[in-house]
Amino acid sequence: MLSGGGNLGVSQVGMLRALVERGILPDAVIGTSAGALNGAVIATTPTLEGVDRLTDVWCSVRTSEVFPGGKLSRAWNVLSRDDHLFSNEGLQAVIERAAPAPTFDQTAVPLRVVATDLQSAEEIVLAAGPIAPALLASSALPGVYPPIEHDGRTLVDGAVTNAVPISHALAGAVERVYVLDVSGGGPGDRPIRSPLDVAVRAFNISRNQRFDLEMRNTPDDVDVIVLPRPDDNRELLDFSDALMVIIEAHALVAKFLDAGPATMVNRPPKRRWWQRRRDRVA
């Protein structure tokens, strides 16, 4: 279960590496917003190859790509009464580089993507048809990116209704759920420097309350393992230092898993994975 979280979603890449290295592979993947993108790739390729591809993607993302234009263009969008501040063309390019399966029925393991119906206020689970528009819809932060017309609905970010939809992972005979939650924290989690930070902080309050409710409603016979995450105080528009955050998240989760109840199947390779990546790039 991979939460939303915008640029904080980069931590999930390190978390996924620690899981896959230990042979902890998914029977199904559920994702929201940024977590939907990460989840779509790992559902398509549930191996270290998939994690490597995510690493390359996140390390290549630049703010100007996913939040194009300057202050004047954003002001014009507001004055012209448009329904968004930024084009989603950059997001589309990121999805193309990530190369998830074209359709839901082509993933290696089942994938579920959560979005929100802007008209009915329903939480929508997308599980059929093309994956790319589902990812755009799940990541369409209201007011920031344009809503997505998909399958007869007007859809926006799934985190509006449920940033960490654990309940969708509990269908059927489930014994354990790994939760990769990077969806925001308490009052001291990130500094407020702009009006957008205020909106994100308010969004996080709603997310946390829904997550608490989901956890309280989890059956006692299901192990819900919430993986630790590194501190990440970057602003919403900051995509720098991606590899550093991935390395920190990997180390943190690897230590947690090795000390916890999960049975480890494979040991991590002796050579550091980020050294191998740097050698490959060089």
Side-chain angles (χ1 to χ4, degrees):
M1 170 61 250
L2 295 93
S3 79
N7 60 338
L8 304 182
V10 67
S11 289
Q12 292 175 342
V13 182
M15 297 175 180
L16 287 168
R17 180 174 293 278
L19 288 167
V20 174
E21 284 176 342
R22 286 154 180 76
I24 303 173
L25 305 179
D27 298 305
V29 177
I30 300 121
T32 298
S33 198
L37 172 63
N38 292 334
V41 173
I42 207 65
T44 298
T45 313
T47 64
L48 288 176
E49 178 187 348
V51 180
D52 285 340
R53 189 157 74 245
L54 279 172
T55 301
D56 291 340
V57 168
W58 279 95
C59 288
S60 72
V61 173
R62 297 294 180 265
T63 299
S64 59
E65 178 179 26
V66 291
F67 295 111
K71 293 181 179 179
L72 288 178
S73 65
R74 295 197 294 271
W76 173 251
N77 285 339
V78 173
L79 292 173
S80 63
R81 297 185 179 182
D82 210 337
D83 60 6
H84 60 277
L85 294 177
F86 301 100
S87 163
N88 63 11
E89 292 180 0
L91 279 180
Q92 294 182 55
V94 171
I95 292 171
E96 290 175 2
R97 290 204 300 275
T103 62
F104 281 88
D105 61 3
Q106 292 177 277
T107 57
V109 298
L111 170 68
R112 303 291 181 265
V113 172
V114 178
T116 301
D117 189 315
L118 191 59
Q119 303 300 327
S120 68
E122 293 177 273
E123 180 181 329
I124 304 298
V125 180
L126 301 169
I131 287 179
L135 299 182
L136 279 176
S138 185
S139 303
L141 187 63
V144 177
Y145 292 119
I148 301 299
E149 299 295 332
H150 180 62
D151 199 23
R153 295 177 180 270
T154 302
L155 301 177
V156 295
D157 198 318
V160 172
T161 47
N162 202 349
V164 197
I166 298 174
S167 57
H168 300 302
L170 302 178
V174 176
E175 296 180 359
R176 177 171 293 168
V177 179
Y178 288 91
V179 179
L180 288 65
D181 180 18
V182 296
S183 61
D189 189 58
R190 295 172 67 176
I192 293 178
R193 299 190 180 100
S194 70
L196 190 56
D197 287 335
V198 176
V200 170
R201 178 65 54 79
F203 210 10
N204 287 342
I205 292 171
S206 174
R207 288 172 169 178
N208 290 340
Q209 290 182 348
R210 179 61 189 264
F211 179 56
D212 290 342
L213 178 62
E214 293 257 331
M215 288 293 289
R216 286 198 299 270
N217 291 332
T218 300
D220 293 336
D221 60 348
V222 176
D223 292 332
V224 178
I225 300 178
V226 181
L227 300 181
R229 65 180 185 185
D231 292 332
D232 188 348
N233 290 321
R234 294 174 303 158
E235 295 183 4
L236 176 66
L237 306 186
D238 186 357
F239 286 84
S240 65
D241 299 321
L243 184 58
M244 182 182 70
V245 177
I246 292 171
I247 292 172
E248 186 177 355
H250 171 265
L252 192 64
V253 172
K255 181 179 179 180
F256 171 81
L257 292 172
D258 289 343
T263 301
M264 301 303 116
V265 178
N266 297 313
R267 304 305 303 174
K270 292 182 179 179
R271 184 163 175 75
R272 301 291 187 181
W273 63 267
W274 61 85
Q275 292 173 334
R276 297 199 308 276
R277 180 181 185 278
R278 287 170 178 165
D279 290 345
R280 187 175 76 251
V281 171

